[in-house]
Amino acid sequence: MSVTTPSGEAYTTNASGQNHGFALTSLTFLFFIWGFITCLNDILIPHLKNVFDLSYTQASLIQFCFFGAYFLVSLPAGLLVRRAGYQRGIVIGLLIAASGCVLFYPAASTQTYSLFLGALFVLAAGITILQVAANPYVTALGRAETASSRLSMTQAFNSLGTTIAPWFGGLMIMGAVTAAAGTAEHKLQEAQAVQIPYLMLAAALLVLAVVFAKLNLPTVSEHHVDEKVNADPGSAWQYSHLVLGALGIFVYVGGEVSIGSYLVNFMGEPHIAGMPEAQAAAYLSYYWGGAMVGRFIGAAVMQKISAGKVLAFNAVAAALLVVVAIVGSGQLAMWSLLAVGLFNSIMFPTIFSLAVTGLGRFTSNGSGVLCAAIVGGALVPVLQAVLADTIGLQLSFIVPVFCYVYICYYGLVGSKIKQPQI
């Protein structure tokens, strides 16, 4: 059986006759697990901030190291996926991510912040390879017109992971400490509380690696381009909608991660909700759960309305909600910021699918460029952390507002495809 990829190339199933449904079902497990792992950073930030008595800027290094890996690893990952194929790239990514999870054990035992940061970098390097391989794979498994809808649907399971993770982290990490606060035993228990959860994640990733190594998934023929074609001039960078889309990914991930990173501390502010960290961590599920619900809704809406218009609408709504959180207080401010997750929902998959549309043989390289732009999750939270340490946490949320303004522009203008000049 053959169909057409977004680049117009032939797509064929393998001899065993596996279909799109089976391949997409397999990939949803990946979206779930990396969403789960990424969201645990929102628990690690306030947790390790207490363990090591960090400022907001110092604690922001957690996201800096995690998302910094996307910048350093994404382009090499694109080359890896181009040579090895999507399926083998997924297996390699899972094995590297599992190694990063295992490193949390010695980091906690020695109570070494730098080792925690190193473990996060290795873990993120594996997830980067998964992102580079899985996102374009999903867009290729079906019609180009419904690529945004299809990627939004699979990303909804990524959001299921991010919805469950705060509850899991609050229970297994923040709720695991029994010693009196401020004592040496309390600090040790806080540090070691991450060991069992991350060993569990390592085991799950290894099982997935074995499963994907054994699966007989469809092959996208873009990987089998002859050397003569590869010698043709041109590059992914000549597509303006890709370059502008990369900036869209940068500011989107930066804005989303900034909000998620500081929500627990925001809800702990006396004039907002005054919640203890363990209780506030549970409320993070509303933020990420909104993204999950929104992706299911968005997948249906974008069957009827153009992806660019839906993206712009959501960006405006998210910006207005953050403004309310900045100028408001109490429950209004808290729930306004939590509600942003609903409108974040379709942004990443929509920007991604709009940006890779029409790239042809440059699709895997374009995917690497877009995943490199996820470095916004490393840099934007640091910018907000510096502002939080200087002008206050609540006012620092002006940073995500500017991010959403650009996303609105990309949805309406920047995502339009222009013929590259070679």
Side-chain angles (χ1 to χ4, degrees):
M1 183 180 82
S2 64
V3 294
T4 303
T5 68
S7 61
E9 296 166 294
Y11 168 89
T12 57
T13 58
N14 50 39
S16 65
Q18 303 287 2
N19 58 32
H20 301 88
F22 178 77
L24 287 171
T25 299
S26 301
L27 287 166
T28 57
F29 289 102
L30 293 184
F31 283 83
F32 173 85
I33 196 70
W34 85 51
F36 189 98
I37 290 171
T38 302
C39 191
L40 276 183
N41 289 351
D42 296 342
I43 303 299
L44 281 179
I45 287 175
H47 182 71
L48 295 183
K49 186 175 184 292
N50 285 337
V51 172
F52 297 102
D53 298 318
L54 307 172
S55 67
Y56 282 113
T57 303
Q58 291 170 324
S60 71
L61 291 177
I62 292 171
Q63 300 290 31
F64 181 83
C65 287
F66 188 88
F67 288 98
Y70 282 85
F71 180 73
L72 296 175
V73 178
S74 286
L75 294 180
L79 296 175
L80 170 68
V81 171
R82 189 177 182 86
R83 289 179 176 273
Y86 291 131
Q87 186 170 356
R88 271 185 273 183
I90 287 170
V91 173
I92 293 169
L94 286 167
L95 292 175
I96 294 174
S99 301
C101 288
V102 171
L103 287 175
F104 272 77
Y105 198 93
S109 296
T110 60
Q111 297 185 62
T112 305
Y113 186 48
S114 59
L115 190 50
F116 272 113
L117 297 178
L120 281 163
F121 182 88
V122 175
L123 172 57
I127 293 178
T128 301
I129 297 172
L130 293 179
Q131 289 263 24
V132 171
N135 280 303
Y137 198 10
V138 171
T139 64
L141 295 178
R143 294 184 296 116
E145 306 82 59
T146 58
S148 292
S149 173
R150 192 163 54 255
L151 193 54
S152 288
M153 181 61 73
T154 53
Q155 285 276 353
F157 289 90
N158 177 275
S159 293
L160 177 61
T162 62
T163 302
I164 295 173
W167 173 83
F168 175 85
L171 179 66
M172 296 289 291
I173 297 176
M174 289 182 171
V177 181
T178 58
T183 64
E185 183 184 0
H186 179 268
K187 293 289 186 183
L188 179 61
Q189 284 189 9
E190 279 192 314
Q192 293 180 338
V194 304
Q195 289 177 323
I196 298 302
Y198 277 89
L199 286 179
M200 292 168 63
L201 288 171
L205 290 167
L206 289 173
V207 169
L208 279 174
V210 172
V211 169
F212 271 88
K214 299 293 185 182
L215 284 177
N216 206 358
L217 293 177
T219 301
V220 177
S221 61
E222 185 229 339
H223 292 294
H224 306 291
V225 183
D226 62 47
E227 295 300 321
K228 187 174 181 180
V229 172
N230 279 336
D232 288 346
S235 74
W237 292 99
Q238 293 176 320
Y239 294 85
S240 64
H241 70 287
L242 170 68
V243 176
L244 295 174
L247 181 55
I249 292 290
F250 180 94
V251 297
Y252 163 69
V253 176
E256 181 191 53
V257 170
S258 289
I259 293 173
S261 296
Y262 305 118
L263 255 172
V264 170
N265 297 107
F266 181 75
M267 290 184 283
E269 294 279 293
H271 65 288
I272 302 299
M275 289 185 182
E277 289 179 353
Q279 182 182 357
Y283 275 81
L284 272 175
S285 292
Y286 290 102
Y287 177 68
W288 296 109
M292 177 181 65
V293 172
R295 278 172 176 161
F296 283 114
I297 296 172
V301 170
M302 284 188 290
Q303 297 280 349
K304 304 293 184 182
I305 304 175
S306 71
K309 291 179 180 178
V310 176
L311 178 63
F313 173 84
N314 279 31
V316 171
L320 291 175
L321 285 169
V322 178
V323 170
V324 171
I326 292 172
V327 301
S329 62
Q331 295 289 307
L332 175 63
M334 183 184 84
W335 286 106
S336 293
L337 203 55
L338 288 170
V340 173
L342 178 66
F343 296 97
N344 278 342
S345 55
I346 55 89
M347 290 187 189
F348 182 90
T350 303
I351 296 171
F352 193 101
S353 58
L354 288 172
V356 299
T357 299
L359 296 188
R361 65 188 179 85
F362 298 117
T363 299
S364 61
N365 289 341
S367 176
V369 170
L370 292 172
C371 286
I374 294 175
V375 73
L379 301 179
V380 177
V382 173
L383 173 60
Q384 182 169 347
V386 172
L387 289 179
D389 285 331
T390 54
I391 65 174
L393 180 61
Q394 189 170 11
L395 289 177
S396 72
F397 282 96
I398 191 64
V399 173
V401 173
F402 288 110
C403 294
Y404 293 125
V405 170
Y406 177 81
I407 293 169
C408 177
Y409 160 78
Y410 182 73
L412 295 177
V413 180
S415 60
K416 298 186 184 304
I417 300 175
K418 297 178 182 178
Q419 188 66 30
Q421 299 296 317
I422 299 177

